[in-house]
Amino acid sequence: MSAPGGQDGLAGVHVLRTLDDALALRAELMTCSRVVVVGDGVLGTEIAATARTMGLAVTLPGPQLAPLESQFGPLVAGKLAELHTDRGVELRLGAAVTGPVERNGRVTGVELATGEMLPAETRLRRQEVLDAFTS
């Protein structure tokens, strides 16, 4: 459920654990145009694909060289990367995410270890559970 003021004191932060959390996230996604999904595993790639079908601009950063590479190996992961790219997901793989970028108490993007900043109106991040950061 979305906490007042957001997690870590940042507005627009959701924790995705329950159906209510998912509905709140969906409602937030319906009001924005750009999302960064942090996590190139099963949940991250599924959320990226779903957000893309909703018409959002989607960026998927992650530490692996291809989505799900550690689960499926380079051949299948490469095909999955190609599928996401063909469907309009912008991949920023091979670079760790160092944290959120915020302004006035709201998350506005994601910073990569390379120093690149990925702007976002919504940010999804995989932690022990999936946290969704929205602005």
Side-chain angles (χ1 to χ4, degrees), residues 60-76:
L60 180 68
Q64 301 181 91
L65 297 178
L68 295 161
E69 185 175 42
S70 63
Q71 290 91 341
F72 296 124
L75 180 63
V76 173

Side-chain angles (χ1 to χ4, degrees), residues 7 10-11 16 19-20 24 32 39 45 52 64 87 111 123 126:
Q7 187 173 345
L10 297 176
L16 186 59
L19 177 58
D20 287 341
C32 68
T45 55
R52 190 66 196 112
Q64 301 181 91
R87 298 233 162 87
E111 185 174 353
R123 176 181 172 226
R126 184 174 142 25

Side-chain angles (χ1 to χ4, degrees), residues 40 60-67 69 91-97 112-114:
D40 51 9
L60 180 68
Q64 301 181 91
L65 297 178
E69 185 175 42
L91 300 177
R92 287 286 205 287
L93 301 171
V97 173
L112 301 180
T114 61

Side-chain angles (χ1 to χ4, degrees), residues 55-129:
L56 281 76
V58 178
T59 305
L60 180 68
Q64 301 181 91
L65 297 178
L68 295 161
E69 185 175 42
S70 63
Q71 290 91 341
F72 296 124
L75 180 63
V76 173
K79 295 291 183 187
L80 184 59
E82 186 178 311
L83 179 67
H84 277 285
T85 301
D86 288 349
R87 298 233 162 87
V89 175
E90 184 178 347
L91 300 177
R92 287 286 205 287
L93 301 171
V97 173
T98 58
V101 176
E102 64 92 17
R103 181 179 23 187
N104 300 324
R106 293 193 68 82
V107 173
T108 59
V110 173
E111 185 174 353
L112 301 180
T114 61
E116 181 180 10
M117 197 280 282
L118 305 175
E121 296 172 58
T122 302
R123 176 181 172 226
L124 303 173
R125 175 180 70 161
R126 184 174 142 25
Q127 199 170 280
E128 289 179 11
V129 294

